[in-house]
Amino acid sequence: MGSRSQASWVGAGRWTGAAEPWMSSRVLCAPLPSVPFLFLLLLAAPGARAAGYETCPRVQPNMLNVHLVAHTHDDVGWLKTVDQYFYGVKNTIQHAGVQYILDSVISALLAEPTRRFIYVEIAFFSRWWNQQTNATQEIVRKLVRQGRLEFVNGGWVMNDEATTHYGAIVDQMTLGLRFLEDTFGTDGRPRVAWHIDPFGHSREQASLFAQMGFDGFFLGRIDYQDKQLREDSLEMEQVWRGSTSLEPPTADLFTGILPNMYSPPQNLCWDMLCRDNPVVEDPRSPEYNVKTLVTYFLKLATNQGQHYRTNHTVMTMGSDFQYENANLWFKNLDKLIRQVNAQQANGSRVHVLYSSPACYLWELHKANLTWSVKKDDFFPYADGPHMFWTGFFTSRPALKRYERLSYNFLQVCNQLEALAGREATLGPYGWGDSALLNEAMAVLQHHDAVSGTAKQHVVNDYARQLAEGWGPCEVLLSNALAWLSGSKLAFSFCRELNMSICPPSQKSASFHVVIYNPLGRKVDQMVRLPVSKGVFLVKDPNGKTVLNDVVVVPSSDPQEHSPELLFSASVPALGFSIYSVTRMNQTMPQAPPPNSAPHKSQYRVLAIENEYIRATFDPDTGFLTEIRNKDKKLLLPVSQAFFWYIASVGDDKSQQPSGAYIFRPDGQKPFPVSRWAQIRLVKTALVQEVHQKFSAWCSQVVRLYQGQRHLELEWTVGPIPVGDAWGKEVISRFDTPMKTNEYFYTDSNGREILRRRRNYRPTWALKQTEPVAGNYYPVNTRIYIKDGRMQLTVLTDRSQGGSSLTDGSLELMVHRKLLKDDYRGVGEPLLEKGSGEVVRGRHLVLLDRVDSAAAEHRLLAEREVLAPQVVLAPADGARYRPRATPLKQFSGLRRELPPSVHLLTLARWGPDMLLLRLEHQFTAWEDSSRNLSAPVTVDLRDLFSTFAITHLQETTLAANQPRASASRLQWTPSTGPTPHPVPSTLDPSSITLQPMEIRTFLASVQWKDSKTRSRFRFSS
Ligand SMILES: [Zn+2]
């Protein structure tokens, strides 16, 4: 947090909680009692009662109750790496050591039974826990049982909400909540979600939290205009309706906005990182200050209470990495409580107490009020005029892609671990494991990780964690593929395919291509691999020859014309196909490589085309001019080009520059990267491409594969030149004549869609200060515009910021390079060097009728997020089982899932247990062309080919409580009562999914041995 928290602190350029070197001497005095002594104290402590709200402190019904929430906010990486924060390394960057915080807090809690503390980030807590003795663990268990140490949120991290995909959010919450459930049982189960620092809030996050069983949710950061109006209209607390499809109250979540973000009130910060004076009670002391403090506090509490509807209000007593010497905080809070409450004898009506978010929520619930309902989201977030946090939607695009690609790979790893069972873990290639990648992915969801708002050295460490997670998953894949195929091939993974580097395919004369499909339906996938020059013979799993092409990719360097082999592969549901590739001895006359010094085209009509789409280009400029959907008989003039905004460095209106968090262009009009493109045309039987080169640092391939219903735009941007001293924010923009009436649409964490309107907020009259940045929204997977007839959808391969700034136009920010820090604490300009400098990505463009657009973009987005995994093997391998013929094709499903059903999770949960999530991936009424929005029923019996489900239990979304026994607090929304549905009995033969519903199961399974399994093998 710190200086990124408030506009008024901007000028300071540092966080207020900075450590002072002279403070270290304070730590030495007043040592705490030893743990064994405290243990005795604990046993004598009163109030060891049942878990949950029953352990909440007593309040005063006829007074204003001020709930003090003692907390620390521990970023899982930001200015320091995760390990540096945990151990307290590199305190010169920032004084922070999480291990000491937890040590210190536990001692302080034991010293006084009324004290309470909350803890949030399980990535840190689990690490600390594993380093404790049994005796300390036992003490902590008791504190948790008594409600004195309470877990809130309970995810591995406090995830970002703008740049995260819902699948990864669910995974990271599952990991954290599972640790709590395994370690503390129901005592440790958080009731309250707590996102006090993320930079804006998505509606999908609320929906997911509701489905995880949370009773309420507290936020820190919302737009400054929104907050002001809410305070005035007493709407700081509401019911948030997280879904337009799910029947209320399934996705309803009680949501409260904290009064002071997550900081303590002014003058009341008693951490060693703060400078406020301690409470001095001795009236004889010249430093005596109780009277002033109490008067100040009473006024503060009363003022704050006026913005909330009940006689309860909350104060967050703590901040970033505070409580390293918890005694400072608690000693002063003890005194504050004593002194303020003593005033009740003089007629004061303020009661102050140690509390927690759950206990505060419990009192709100008991108030039995009717709450207004929020249906939109909290994006974009601005903490002052001209200060829109919309830059981080795009910041560090290479990391954002790596994260998304790792999500894909983790799901493949999870699935194969589930399908192959034990054999995936320990096999011919060694020890395979998904846990490391699962943890790395959870860390990446932190609100300074995938968001791109950490320091460069921390970002490098995030990338290291992902890379280290990939290793054991590659072993796991090899073990599983060998077991399932019956052949011990020398599997090889090409992590640099996006740069056309893959030694096994480039160097071997013959090799196998194993393609694994993580979807519940067959896919036809165009495989594209860098090869050496030559003619190739490609055979499918049945030995049939498959049409292939070798495309020579144009390059400015004639030495770098790298040929790429192309063929279409068909892969069964949740399974693999093995194709074989052989380079033939004969040489065929090859087309000479394209001219290395291209100029404006000589083409008269320039177009690429397949059976569904035709894309036309202007022969003079080389730009896209028109897209035709031949199938649906739609024609739309579309021009697409790259532009850049000058990044503001501050001006007369505001000193605010553009930075890692904030997007602030200098002027509304972006500059074109170029007014024309050098182009080359590539046409083969399988693909047609237009290669556009706009500048030395910006190029694009517009591509149509045979059979593909979308146009693919593969862009390469960087290194962005900043030698002219202008930071640049690069966008790809599509301009059409569509009449869109200020509206456009963006997805929420890759799931439901929200309608956006320019210069407009659904719940308040916006005073717009930034006509560009103030209209940017997070795009996780897609953005679209539509008129009454047509819809133009652009799907992304990572999170980006996007907008529609004029009717018929749509833009996505693809990359940014900035020369200034934006004063929100990171303290570095966004100047990526090395791997983040040049970025390649894809936009998939769909032109469709409005009524059938969802059917296309939902299924395409699913294929994009869970793309097939390509694994190579240079030569034949030994048989796994001597007498069994190896398989070249396999499906883990005995029947395909319907198109509306997405297999969200299939993962190992225990020795004989799997975690399974099925999702309806359409919203209600979204698709009228193929009826894909209708409820759908799946039969789970014998669905999987490698294991039998022997027992099935349905759970809440994060799998930490059985659905049948889960109950949430019921709130009364102003829209009318919402009766809680009683879960129906579970019938594995008939699992029905309503639109947008996710159902989560823990399945006891028995893996079939290879003999039994062979009966279920895929036959084509
Ligand atoms: Zn934070």
Side-chain angles (χ1 to χ4, degrees):
M1 192 252 357
S3 66
R4 74 181 181 206
S5 62
Q6 264 173 339
S8 56
W9 296 350
V10 161
R14 55 177 298 181
W15 66 99
T16 52
E20 295 294 338
W22 49 264
M23 281 183 170
S24 56
S25 62
R26 291 194 143 220
V27 186
L28 298 175
C29 50
L32 287 163
S34 68
V35 165
F37 170 71
L38 290 168
F39 187 58
L40 293 173
L41 260 182
L42 173 82
L43 293 178
R49 282 176 289 163
Y53 299 111
E54 295 84 351
T55 61
C56 284
R58 215 161 281 144
V59 298
Q60 295 295 340
N62 300 316
M63 293 188 187
L64 173 65
N65 292 276
V66 183
H67 296 246
L68 302 183
V69 174
H71 81 109
T72 178
H73 176 65
D74 298 346
D75 289 308
V76 184
W78 180 39
L79 308 181
K80 304 206 288 190
T81 67
V82 184
D83 284 67
Q84 289 166 355
Y85 273 138
F86 180 76
Y87 289 107
V89 178
K90 292 243 164 96
N91 274 358
T92 45
I93 298 177
Q94 178 185 13
H95 189 105
V98 174
Q99 57 166 344
Y100 306 126
I101 294 174
L102 286 162
D103 290 343
S104 177
V105 161
I106 297 305
S107 297
L109 287 178
L110 292 176
E112 162 55 47
T114 60
R115 292 175 179 173
R116 288 169 184 258
F117 194 76
I118 60 165
Y119 201 75
V120 179
E121 298 86 3
I122 304 304
F124 285 131
F125 184 84
S126 63
R127 191 186 287 211
W128 178 84
W129 175 263
N130 291 328
Q131 297 178 1
Q132 302 311 304
T133 62
N134 288 345
T136 307
Q137 290 184 347
E138 201 43 49
I139 289 170
V140 174
R141 276 199 193 90
K142 285 212 167 83
L143 289 172
V144 172
R145 199 175 311 137
Q146 294 169 348
R148 293 157 68 186
L149 176 64
E150 178 182 309
F151 294 101
V152 296
N153 213 62
W156 200 248
V157 300
M158 182 186 294
N159 66 252
D160 176 55
E161 299 187 34
T163 64
T164 42
H165 186 263
Y166 72 95
I169 294 175
V170 171
D171 283 353
Q172 82 87 7
M173 288 301 301
T174 303
L175 185 65
L177 291 173
R178 185 175 191 190
F179 171 86
L180 292 177
E181 200 68 21
D182 289 352
T183 311
F184 301 104
T186 52
D187 295 343
R189 190 183 294 162
R191 316 262 156 182
V192 166
W194 179 259
H195 272 199
I196 51 168
D197 195 25
F199 329 131
H201 299 279
S202 74
R203 195 179 68 188
E204 190 58 38
Q205 184 76 54
S207 171
L208 297 174
F209 276 153
Q211 294 172 69
M212 288 171 193
F214 285 104
D215 285 330
F217 181 24
F218 290 98
L219 310 178
R221 297 175 181 277
I222 68 162
D223 180 281
Y224 69 104
Q225 295 177 15
D226 192 9
K227 188 177 180 193
Q228 179 73 57
L229 292 165
R230 284 172 184 278
E231 283 180 340
D232 296 347
S233 61
L234 300 188
E235 289 212 312
M236 294 290 273
E237 290 161 335
Q238 284 187 299
V239 169
W240 195 354
R241 187 149 292 165
S243 170
T244 55
S245 288
L246 297 167
E247 193 68 34
T250 307
D252 283 4
L253 186 65
F254 182 88
T255 302
I257 295 141
L258 295 168
N260 196 28
M261 227 137 22
Y262 60 96
S263 306
Q266 224 174 4
N267 305 323
L268 302 181
C269 185
W270 289 307
D271 196 73
M272 60 183 249
L273 298 172
C274 302
R275 300 174 201 181
D276 294 338
N277 292 326
V279 184
V280 182
E281 292 173 303
D282 179 359
R284 292 167 305 172
S285 167
E287 301 301 331
Y288 172 79
N289 61 6
V290 161
K291 206 167 170 224
T292 328
L293 261 181
V294 167
T295 311
Y296 169 74
F297 184 87
L298 290 174
K299 194 167 167 225
L300 185 84
T302 313
N303 285 348
Q304 184 178 304
Q306 283 168 358
H307 301 310
Y308 292 83
R309 292 178 61 199
T310 68
N311 62 326
H312 295 269
T313 191
V314 66
M315 288 185 187
T316 42
M317 306 311 270
S319 193
D320 290 15
F321 298 97
Q322 295 196 359
Y323 287 80
E324 190 173 316
N325 182 351
N327 186 49
L328 267 62
W329 255 118
F330 279 118
K331 193 167 196 165
N332 285 289
L333 288 176
D334 288 347
K335 292 178 185 173
L336 179 80
I337 291 170
R338 188 164 56 231
Q339 295 291 346
V340 170
N341 290 348
Q343 291 306 310
Q344 290 165 12
N346 303 329
S348 161
R349 307 301 290 162
V350 173
H351 180 68
V352 58
L353 65 153
Y354 281 118
S355 185
S356 72
C359 294
Y360 172 63
L361 184 80
W362 177 239
E363 297 302 330
L364 295 182
H365 184 256
K366 283 200 293 191
N368 202 18
L369 299 175
T370 297
W371 304 91
S372 60
V373 178
K374 179 175 178 67
K375 295 179 176 172
D376 60 329
D377 64 359
F378 289 102
F379 283 122
Y381 166 58
D383 54 354
H386 306 285
M387 297 165 181
F388 283 90
W389 298 44
T390 52
F392 80 97
F393 300 162
T394 298
S395 293
R396 302 195 186 275
L399 182 74
K400 283 182 164 70
R401 175 58 188 160
Y402 192 17
E403 183 276 334
R404 188 66 60 85
L405 200 61
S406 299
Y407 175 75
N408 191 343
F409 192 58
L410 175 60
Q411 304 312 312
V412 168
C413 187
N414 283 340
Q415 290 184 0
L416 281 166
E417 191 175 20
L419 289 173
R422 262 187 304 281
E423 322 292 335
T425 310
L426 192 56
Y429 307 86
W431 182 259
D433 197 358
S434 60
L436 204 59
L437 186 56
N438 196 27
E439 281 186 24
M441 273 299 291
V443 166
L444 260 287
Q445 307 313 308
H446 166 60
H447 57 267
D448 292 304
V450 66
S451 59
T453 56
K455 279 189 184 288
Q456 183 64 51
H457 79 104
V458 178
V459 171
N460 297 344
D461 188 66
Y462 287 136
R464 173 193 66 80
Q465 293 184 50
L466 286 178
E468 285 181 6
W470 278 59
C473 261
E474 288 175 352
V475 175
L476 191 153
L477 256 66
S478 299
N479 286 339
L481 290 171
W483 166 253
L484 295 169
S485 70
S487 178
K488 290 188 260 187
L489 296 167
F491 296 105
S492 170
F493 297 81
C494 288
R495 293 194 194 177
E496 293 174 327
L497 266 180
N498 66 332
M499 293 188 284
S500 295
I501 299 170
C502 182
S505 65
Q506 285 169 305
K507 297 201 170 128
S508 320
S510 75
F511 55 91
H512 298 287
V513 185
V514 186
I515 307 131
Y516 176 81
N517 166 25
L519 299 187
R521 284 169 298 286
K522 157 183 166 315
V523 295
D524 293 313
Q525 175 76 11
M526 199 61 78
V527 177
R528 192 166 181 143
L529 294 167
V531 287
S532 53
K533 275 187 199 148
V535 177
F536 293 84
L537 178 69
V538 179
K539 288 189 169 171
D540 75 5
N542 299 317
K544 252 172 63 188
T545 305
V546 177
L547 178 66
N548 74 80
D549 265 344
V550 176
V551 178
V552 179
V553 180
S555 160
S556 52
D557 181 354
Q559 300 302 310
E560 280 184 13
H561 291 305
S562 52
E564 294 193 340
L565 175 71
L566 209 63
F567 64 91
S568 174
S570 180
V571 194
L574 214 62
F576 60 78
S577 295
I578 303 179
Y579 284 70
S580 67
V581 177
T582 313
R583 194 165 69 223
M584 309 303 284
N585 283 330
Q586 90 226 44
T587 47
M588 286 227 309
Q590 282 202 339
N595 190 338
S596 59
H599 31 78
K600 285 194 180 184
S601 81
Q602 312 83 16
Y603 308 99
R604 247 188 268 152
V605 181
L606 186 57
I608 54 175
E609 183 165 12
N610 70 7
E611 56 268 56
Y612 302 112
I613 311 272
R614 180 183 162 90
T616 312
F617 297 77
D618 182 328
D620 290 326
T621 64
F623 287 2
L624 178 70
T625 54
E626 185 183 278
I627 302 176
R628 184 188 294 266
N629 182 330
K630 293 153 74 175
D631 203 25
K632 308 269 174 76
K633 302 198 169 36
L634 301 171
L635 176 73
L636 183 67
V638 183
S639 74
Q640 181 271 337
F642 290 87
F643 301 82
W644 52 276
Y645 292 102
I646 300 178
S648 176
V649 293
D651 57 20
D652 297 348
K653 285 184 196 152
S654 164
Q655 288 301 302
Q656 181 62 56
S658 218
Y661 305 87
I662 285 173
F663 171 37
R664 185 167 185 235
D666 188 345
Q668 292 182 39
K669 232 177 108 70
F671 297 91
V673 168
S674 169
R675 298 196 183 277
W676 64 281
Q678 296 174 356
I679 52 169
R680 290 194 179 97
L681 196 59
V682 173
K683 286 192 178 182
T684 74
L686 293 175
V687 70
Q688 300 198 353
E689 296 175 344
V690 170
H691 293 242
Q692 302 168 309
K693 186 169 182 186
F694 302 98
S695 76
W697 54 272
C698 182
S699 61
Q700 182 171 254
V701 180
V702 185
R703 182 177 288 141
L704 267 179
Y705 287 120
Q706 199 190 53
Q708 189 172 274
R709 291 174 182 271
H710 62 271
L711 189 66
E712 178 177 316
L713 277 63
E714 187 179 62
W715 42 268
T716 306
V717 172
I720 301 173
V722 289
D724 54 8
W726 285 347
K728 294 179 183 64
E729 325 226 14
V730 183
I731 60 163
S732 169
R733 196 175 79 196
F734 300 77
D735 291 304
T736 77
M738 284 169 92
K739 297 209 169 12
T740 52
N741 297 321
E742 304 183 344
Y743 290 113
F744 58 107
Y745 301 79
T746 57
D747 67 302
S748 185
N749 303 104
R751 229 158 94 83
E752 294 194 28
I753 307 289
L754 276 90
R755 187 171 77 163
R756 312 296 188 180
R757 186 176 164 193
R758 257 193 324 278
N759 300 320
Y760 178 82
R761 303 289 185 263
T763 61
W764 87 90
L766 173 71
K767 289 187 210 91
Q768 183 63 278
T769 55
E770 287 287 320
V772 177
N775 283 308
Y776 258 65
Y777 288 88
V779 176
N780 293 110
T781 55
R782 76 210 82 175
I783 179 170
Y784 59 79
I785 49 175
K786 62 183 183 181
D787 58 19
R789 201 166 71 94
M790 277 190 278
Q791 178 168 325
L792 182 73
T793 311
V794 180
L795 285 92
T796 64
D797 63 351
R798 75 200 72 191
S799 290
Q800 295 174 328
S803 189
S804 168
L805 296 174
T806 53
D807 279 359
S809 171
L810 176 165
E811 67 184 60
L812 287 155
M813 188 182 289
V814 295
H815 203 354
R816 52 206 308 258
K817 190 164 189 171
L818 308 171
L819 302 170
K820 286 271 196 176
D821 175 57
D822 54 6
Y823 311 133
R824 293 304 184 281
V826 73
E828 284 180 1
L830 195 66
L831 264 175
E832 291 175 283
K833 295 258 163 61
S835 58
E837 244 182 330
V838 182
V839 176
R840 176 168 292 168
R842 290 182 309 141
H843 287 147
L844 310 182
V845 179
L846 285 166
L847 175 66
D848 213 310
R849 287 198 318 259
V850 167
D851 65 344
S852 58
E856 295 293 333
H857 72 69
R858 286 283 175 202
L859 298 175
L860 185 57
E862 185 193 26
R863 280 186 57 165
E864 180 62 29
V865 172
L866 286 189
Q869 178 67 40
V870 174
V871 185
L872 298 186
D876 283 329
R879 288 187 179 187
Y880 206 105
R881 292 167 285 270
R883 266 172 302 203
T885 320
L887 282 179
K888 297 237 162 159
Q889 200 163 41
F890 159 86
S891 174
L893 291 186
R894 298 182 65 211
R895 50 189 176 273
E896 292 197 346
L897 294 175
S900 49
V901 178
H902 174 58
L903 180 66
L904 178 59
T905 312
L906 176 64
R908 194 85 181 263
W909 187 259
D912 297 304
M913 290 266 272
L914 297 181
L915 174 64
L916 172 66
R917 285 192 188 95
L918 294 173
E919 173 188 6
H920 193 309
Q921 56 178 340
F922 284 79
T923 58
W925 316 112
E926 187 175 48
D927 176 62
S928 52
S929 63
R930 294 168 59 190
N931 203 25
L932 295 175
S933 287
V936 59
T937 300
V938 177
D939 183 354
L940 278 183
R941 292 170 311 167
D942 285 333
L943 177 64
F944 297 93
S945 64
T946 64
F947 57 83
I949 296 175
T950 54
H951 181 256
L952 199 64
Q953 183 189 40
E954 184 160 14
T955 67
T956 50
L957 183 57
N960 65 332
Q961 43 184 327
R963 186 165 165 178
S965 60
S967 70
R968 301 170 60 210
L969 294 182
Q970 298 188 30
W971 303 85
T972 312
S974 55
T975 49
T978 51
H980 277 241
V982 186
S984 50
T985 48
L986 182 60
D987 176 5
S989 71
S990 169
I991 303 291
T992 299
L993 297 158
Q994 301 296 327
M996 276 291 136
E997 188 179 17
I998 301 172
R999 292 185 69 175
T1000 306
F1001 304 97
L1002 290 176
S1004 304
V1005 298
Q1006 227 164 34
W1007 278 277
K1008 296 168 182 171
D1009 58 34
S1010 57
K1011 237 171 165 182
T1012 347
R1013 184 162 54 82
S1014 64
R1015 280 191 275 127
F1016 303 120
R1017 274 175 191 169
F1018 182 89
S1019 56
S1020 55

